[in-house]
Amino acid sequence: MTEPMIPVILGTARPGRRSAQVAGLAVERLRSKGFDGRLIDVADYAITGTETDEDERKLDGYAKLVAAADGFVIVAPEYNHSFPGELKLLLDSTYDGYNRKPVGIVSVSSGLLGGARMTEQLSLVALALEMVPVAPTVHVREVEEAVEGDEFSEEGLESVFDQMLSSVCWYAGALKAARESG
Amino acid sequence: MTEPMIPVILGTARPGRRSAQVAGLAVERLRSKGFDGRLIDVADYAITGTETDEDERKLDGYAKLVAAADGFVIVAPEYNHSFPGELKLLLDSTYDGYNRKPVGIVSVSSGLLGGARMTEQLSLVALALEMVPVAPTVHVREVEEAVEGDEFSEEGLESVFDQMLSSVCWYAGALKAARESG
Amino acid sequence: MTEPMIPVILGTARPGRRSAQVAGLAVERLRSKGFDGRLIDVADYAITGTETDEDERKLDGYAKLVAAADGFVIVAPEYNHSFPGELKLLLDSTYDGYNRKPVGIVSVSSGLLGGARMTEQLSLVALALEMVPVAPTVHVREVEEAVEGDEFSEEGLESVFDQMLSSVCWYAGALKAARESG
Amino acid sequence: MTEPMIPVILGTARPGRRSAQVAGLAVERLRSKGFDGRLIDVADYAITGTETDEDERKLDGYAKLVAAADGFVIVAPEYNHSFPGELKLLLDSTYDGYNRKPVGIVSVSSGLLGGARMTEQLSLVALALEMVPVAPTVHVREVEEAVEGDEFSEEGLESVFDQMLSSVCWYAGALKAARESG
């Protein structure tokens, strides 16, 4: 039997992105829980909305990963109260594969509000893609101080992060079982 | 074995509300599918945010219904791009009972856009209550013409309505099975 | 010449509401800037969505205040990622008087995220009412510690609060001048 | 004296985009009202979030246009209940120039709901950029039938479109006057 696959989508391509570290932590913890965690980095897609044939080939690979996945984690910063455009371009490039699978959302911010407004907008996009956005959501505030190396230094953040991952895994199992039994 | 219980919450108390007819249709169809459908009418609660002892007793009954339910349908109009205040007061009055249960949202509007903006705001509240808002959502546009007696007269609306109910029932079963197996 | 009138709407009726203190601060500062600041307390309206004649008389007074105002400040807590139902009931009770007038939104939360999600939903309702939601918005996090007596104790909060008030006043003047010149 | 400048931002780069026609109509009508209307086409920017020096030069041109503008119209389709990623990438590339200027939003959809959910998410981004989203918003439903050549064929749509443009122009004048007088 294969392990359930839960990719972590890193939703910003900006140079210097702090979200990369948080996404790395998510992959590592999913693996330590026995899941097939792997990183999907939006920077590896670099599309602009007017796709070339080469773009189409890359996006085809993304669509296959999505279809094979049992659930998702998305880690992304908040820009102007919403998500990065490159994340939206990637999410919009396929459709059916997301259906009836859970998604855990991690917002990353250098400010105090932790990107909660991004999470709200992204949750609505996830619902449009027929995913199940799970609770709790994770909000990494003041990211420069909150994450050090491969550890969360903000008290309580690690616990919420693990609850989110457990919730994604719980839904991934529940919905997979139901999809397979019809 | 008892039938799964899926209450239909009628989310407006306004005199002349057209949503009542749509909520009635939902109850009837849930019953014909073998579910324990029943109406929860916000007008029966009539709270104002500063609860009296009598309010508390009524809300206690609501909380018990929510805890016993396996899923929900909410039927509500759009006022100023969002939901009626009386619906929010009722939803906010309890918490734990909603957890990991599906909700199908039906927006009702006399206009052309069908209340889709209400659905977005209500979906975010449903996520905060740790419910699963299911696809498809139903948007009853120009309600005066779209519903006649106990039938939908707008082409296609009946089919979307039934898909929504099926989706609520599918999730109700999947999540109940998973909750019960731990 | 009369002073510009900018009412502060206190958007929760819950016993023990901490928002009352923040709303009081807003009224006081508006007065010290030479504006006609006054409190509109949702608890004085206590409507349920099924209005009686007595409700109508109270709401008529609210509608007149709104029509006479030059701008608004709304202070409200976040419940389940959105605004209190009693605030929505009151806002929905009139329409024309809000048009082309600014609104400054202050969210109040005992949590770390400061109610930013409430602000987003309320901003969309404000736009539906054809108001101008101004920047900056104010987010009072961990309200038990952030406000003491008639002072903000969180560093930086007082400054953002004053910027918000200045912005409401700037827009109130700009839009009043334009409305009056046609 | 120079004419007020109100650029129309075409917010999708997708081949076959129907929004282009609607954006063209907006430019034409702004000119016929005596404004300096001009098209900003996201397809001319084609950025991916990891900017090169050449990207920076193009974006510098965009930032200058934004700074010189007195108001904006944005025409964009709804993808998965939100805006296209390429539009978000472009909007996020500058900041100060948007401040205290109006924006009229036109959503374009081949469906029945007219893209109203995109408008809500984009309005919140516009507020984050400190713009003033004006009423009415325009929702072009079933775009294949609603626009023919340089005319709107859906009854009522032309009138709402003109009201939106008038509202942008009214706010552009009101806010420019206030900015210039301090």
Side-chain angles (χ1 to χ4, degrees), chain D residues 6 17 22 27 33 70 78 87-88 111 119 121 131 135 137 147 162 166 174 177 182:
Chain D
I6 301 190
R17 55 200 175 152
V22 179
V27 170
K33 282 169 178 283
D70 298 297
E78 177 179 296
L87 173 59
K88 185 64 167 32
T119 302
Q121 295 218 352
M131 289 193 268
T137 51
V147 184
D162 281 335
S166 295

Side-chain angles (χ1 to χ4, degrees), chain C:
Chain C
M1 209 188 87
T2 57
E3 297 161 333
M5 200 245 284
I6 302 190
V8 177
I9 301 175
L10 170 55
T12 169
R14 253 191 215 181
R17 54 200 176 152
R18 298 296 300 250
S19 299
Q21 202 173 352
V22 179
L25 276 175
V27 170
E28 192 181 292
R29 301 216 174 191
L30 283 164
R31 286 181 182 166
S32 75
K33 282 169 178 281
F35 286 83
D36 174 5
R38 56 178 81 183
L39 191 70
I40 296 180
D41 183 346
V42 289
D44 292 339
Y45 299 88
I47 48 177
T48 62
T50 46
E51 300 354 323
T52 62
D53 288 352
E54 197 195 320
D55 288 341
E56 296 292 354
R57 272 190 296 278
K58 283 192 285 189
L59 291 174
D60 196 50
Y62 173 71
K64 280 181 181 140
L65 267 175
V66 167
D70 298 298
F72 306 89
V73 172
I74 302 179
V75 181
E78 177 179 295
Y79 301 152
N80 294 313
H81 297 191
S82 185
F83 36 75
E86 59 268 33
L87 173 59
K88 184 66 168 30
L89 278 161
L90 187 62
L91 291 173
D92 284 347
S93 70
T94 186
Y95 188 78
D96 290 338
Y98 301 114
N99 198 294
R100 297 192 167 171
K101 296 175 183 173
V103 59
I105 299 177
V106 182
S107 65
V108 175
S109 168
S110 54
L112 282 169
L113 302 179
R117 298 170 289 213
M118 186 285 291
T119 303
E120 298 300 273
Q121 295 218 353
L122 187 55
S123 293
L124 291 177
V125 172
L127 289 177
L129 295 169
E130 307 198 13
M131 288 193 269
V132 176
V134 307
T137 51
V138 181
H139 306 282
V140 182
R141 303 177 309 122
E142 299 181 304
V143 62
E144 287 77 6
E145 288 80 44
V147 184
E148 281 175 25
D150 60 349
E151 303 239 321
F152 289 109
S153 43
E154 186 190 306
E155 200 190 342
L157 190 55
E158 180 159 13
S159 157
V160 173
F161 193 76
D162 281 335
Q163 285 170 49
M164 177 275 293
L165 292 176
S166 295
S167 190
V168 171
C169 297
W170 186 89
Y171 271 104
L175 299 178
K176 187 177 197 171
R179 283 199 311 273
E180 287 173 356
S181 74

Side-chain angles (χ1 to χ4, degrees), chain A residues 5 7 38-40 45 60-69 72 101:
Chain A
M5 199 244 283
R38 57 178 79 184
L39 191 71
I40 296 180
Y45 297 89
D60 196 50
Y62 173 72
K64 281 181 180 139
L65 267 175
V66 168
F72 306 89
K101 296 175 184 173

Side-chain angles (χ1 to χ4, degrees), chain B residues 4 12 31 37 81 83-85 96 105 111 117 139 150-151 153 171 178:
Chain B
T12 168
R31 287 181 181 165
H81 297 192
F83 36 74
D96 290 339
I105 300 177
R117 298 170 289 214
H139 305 281
D150 60 350
E151 304 238 321
S153 44
Y171 270 105

Side-chain angles (χ1 to χ4, degrees), chain B residues 88-156:
Chain B
K88 185 65 169 27
L89 279 161
L90 187 63
L91 291 174
D92 283 347
S93 70
T94 186
Y95 187 78
D96 290 339
Y98 301 113
N99 198 294
R100 296 192 169 172
K101 296 175 184 173
V103 60
I105 300 177
V106 183
S107 65
V108 175
S109 168
S110 54
L112 281 169
L113 302 179
R117 298 170 289 214
M118 186 285 292
T119 302
E120 298 300 275
Q121 295 218 352
L122 186 56
S123 294
L124 291 176
V125 172
L127 289 177
L129 295 169
E130 306 197 15
M131 289 194 268
V132 177
V134 308
T137 51
V138 182
H139 305 281
V140 182
R141 304 177 307 121
E142 299 182 304
V143 61
E144 286 77 7
E145 288 80 44
V147 184
E148 282 176 25
D150 60 350
E151 304 238 321
F152 289 110
S153 44
E154 186 190 305
E155 202 191 340

Side-chain angles (χ1 to χ4, degrees), chain D:
Chain D
M1 208 189 87
T2 56
E3 299 159 334
M5 200 244 283
I6 301 190
V8 176
I9 301 176
L10 170 55
T12 169
R14 255 193 212 179
R17 55 200 175 152
R18 298 294 300 250
S19 299
Q21 202 173 352
V22 179
L25 275 175
V27 170
E28 191 181 293
R29 299 213 175 194
L30 284 164
R31 286 181 182 165
S32 75
K33 282 169 178 283
F35 285 83
D36 174 4
R38 56 177 81 184
L39 192 71
I40 296 180
D41 182 347
V42 289
D44 293 338
Y45 298 89
I47 51 177
T48 63
T50 47
E51 301 351 324
T52 62
D53 288 353
E54 197 194 321
D55 287 341
E56 296 291 354
R57 272 190 298 277
K58 282 192 287 190
L59 291 175
D60 197 50
Y62 173 71
K64 280 181 181 141
L65 266 175
V66 167
D70 298 297
F72 305 89
V73 172
I74 302 180
V75 180
E78 177 179 296
Y79 300 153
N80 294 313
H81 298 191
S82 185
F83 36 75
E86 59 268 33
L87 173 59
K88 185 64 167 32
L89 278 161
L90 187 63
L91 291 173
D92 282 346
S93 70
T94 186
Y95 188 78
D96 290 339
Y98 301 113
N99 199 296
R100 297 190 167 171
K101 296 175 184 173
V103 58
I105 300 179
V106 183
S107 66
V108 175
S109 167
S110 54
L112 281 169
L113 302 180
R117 298 170 289 214
M118 187 284 292
T119 302
E120 298 300 275
Q121 295 218 352
L122 187 55
S123 294
L124 291 176
V125 171
L127 289 177
L129 295 168
E130 306 196 15
M131 289 193 268
V132 176
V134 307
T137 51
V138 181
H139 305 282
V140 183
R141 304 177 307 122
E142 299 182 303
V143 61
E144 287 77 6
E145 287 79 46
V147 184
E148 280 174 27
D150 60 351
E151 304 239 321
F152 289 108
S153 43
E154 186 189 307
E155 201 190 342
L157 190 55
E158 180 159 14
S159 158
V160 174
F161 194 76
D162 281 335
Q163 285 171 47
M164 178 275 295
L165 292 176
S166 295
S167 189
V168 171
C169 296
W170 185 88
Y171 271 104
L175 299 178
K176 187 177 198 172
R179 285 198 311 274
E180 287 173 358
S181 75

Side-chain angles (χ1 to χ4, degrees), chain A residues 13-25:
Chain A
R14 253 192 215 181
R17 55 201 176 151
R18 298 296 299 251
S19 298
Q21 204 173 351
V22 180
L25 275 175

